[in-house]
Amino acid sequence: MLNPATPAFLQALATALPAGTIAPIEPRYLSDPRGRLGGQAAAVARPRCVDEVASIVSACNAAKIGVIPFGGGTGLVLGQVMAEGPLPLVLSLERMRAVRAVYPAENVMVVEAGATLVEVQAAAEAVGRLFPLSLASQGTARIGGNLATNAGGVNVLRYGNTRDLCLGLEVVLPSGAIWHGLKRLRKDNTGYDLRNLLIGAEGTLGVITAASLKLAPMPAAMGTAMMVVPSPAAALDLLALAQMRLGGLVSAFELIARMGLEFLAETMPEQRQPFAHAPAWMVLIDVGVPDGLDPAEALAALFEAGAEAGLVLDGVIAQSQAQRADFWAVRENIPEGNRRIGAISSHDISLPLGEIAGFIDAAGAALAKLGDWRINCFGHLGDGNLHYNVFPIAGESRTQHENRRLAIKTLIHDMVHACGGSVSAEHGIGRLKVDDLETYGDPVKLAAMRAIKAALDPNGIMNPGVILRPQQGGLAP
């Protein structure tokens, strides 16, 4: 059983650390971006180096006090918000944001976990390289949190998830021991892969304090187009055509539905949209090409081939960086439009590509049997990740339908599971989806996960209640 972080414990910890490391908790460390739940904590620790992190975690482990690792606070599954239980200590890495080293010839950068994603991108750009992870929250999200949640984003199609962009880690384990794993190697076949175990563990197995990250060559030119498609099935066929014609040059392929555009028009009318009348379905395609190729010409050729095949009905190719930014602003502001409307139930799901079109049709029909809703289905079509969100009809609010949320979520997740998909594509499990993991997760995998948790964190101090529900009588499986 965990203990609360008492004033006496906090005073002793503050005395052992540099002045200002332990501070009163502030509301910004206890908030959920979707406004569904508020957290609690006794205080916040803001260390400046890995040794201070180790001292904090070691003290909490000895006293059996919960530790909530905190990055940018942008997580959407309550991984950073603990609403009940003995008062924990929030551990923020915001003061650890240094770029420790850059190796342009190796396409490697070593950064501390508190650096924001924008700062990492800028450091790579300063040496003529690209760090390709890209999220709508990149100005606030920190790289340690991106790694802890294995964040996805819009460029997974070409560059992979955050896991694929990491070569090594520095991590403070629950005992307070420091794993010095900041290697810059592409090949290191020496036993269990702790790096990949800790990436995506959502802070339940340790605190990521620094990372060796993969960089990529900066494309010579980028091109972006919006193309209207008759259906999600046609969008998938267009994706296949784009990959065949453009090889590995397609960075992003995003599906956008009319409902998302209508929400933007309603809540953010200042946002310029590419078409005078919102189409039922369209895709945003982003390509990055090497020197000697013209991205606009490549996209124009794709448009012509798609139109000839009946896959494209209309389209606009960005003619400037400003227009390209406008196209991306449409996609990146869709989540904000959703937030302002207020979803009854939001679903971060992934499906085999061959199942997506059938799922979209079947899910809409199944939901119609439960009532009248507005559905905004959009997302990273290239990697099978959809954000399938259900809203009240115009004139009603989500609070009027809170009693329907569980039924809607269960229907969608049951259908996703039946299609061989995942109920958590890129947001993680957090505390929000623990029940879902128990319902849809493989029992053998869950037993192995509990055994790993018990071995590395026998006192259960690391982000308690995230991913795995604490077992009666302790953490043993």
Side-chain angles (χ1 to χ4, degrees), residues 330-386:
V330 170
R331 168 60 183 87
E332 290 172 350
N333 281 326
I334 286 175
E336 177 60 20
N338 285 351
R339 188 191 66 81
R340 296 184 186 188
I341 295 292
I344 301 168
S345 187
S346 300
H347 314 97
D348 165 45
I349 59 176
S350 63
L351 295 151
L353 294 186
E355 301 288 340
I356 288 176
F359 169 83
I360 291 174
D361 288 341
L367 281 169
K369 296 178 181 178
L370 295 182
D372 293 328
W373 322 102
R374 291 184 290 181
I375 299 169
N376 188 12
C377 173
F378 68 102
H380 320 303
L381 190 66
D383 56 52
N385 178 192
L386 296 180

Side-chain angles (χ1 to χ4, degrees), residues 211-236:
S212 297
L213 302 174
K214 292 181 185 177
L215 306 180
M218 186 76 72
M222 300 293 297
T224 305
M226 293 282 202
M227 297 189 189
V228 177
V229 294
S231 66
L236 287 162

Side-chain angles (χ1 to χ4, degrees), residues 387-408:
H387 300 296
Y388 193 94
N389 302 332
V390 181
F391 298 81
I393 60 174
E396 296 183 357
S397 70
R398 77 178 187 187
T399 56
Q400 295 173 259
H401 299 279
E402 277 295 318
N403 62 329
R404 311 298 303 280
R405 189 161 73 91
L406 180 59
I408 292 171

Side-chain angles (χ1 to χ4, degrees), residues 21 23-32 38-41 43-46 68-73 80-82 90-95 142:
T21 303
I25 197 68
E26 300 173 31
R28 65 189 176 103
Y29 298 111
L30 304 174
S31 62
D32 160 35
Q40 55 157 10
V44 59
R46 295 183 295 175
I68 311 297
F70 190 91
Q80 76 280 28
V81 180
M82 181 174 167
V90 169
L91 178 61
S92 171
L93 278 293
E94 63 195 271
R95 286 175 168 170
R142 300 184 187 277

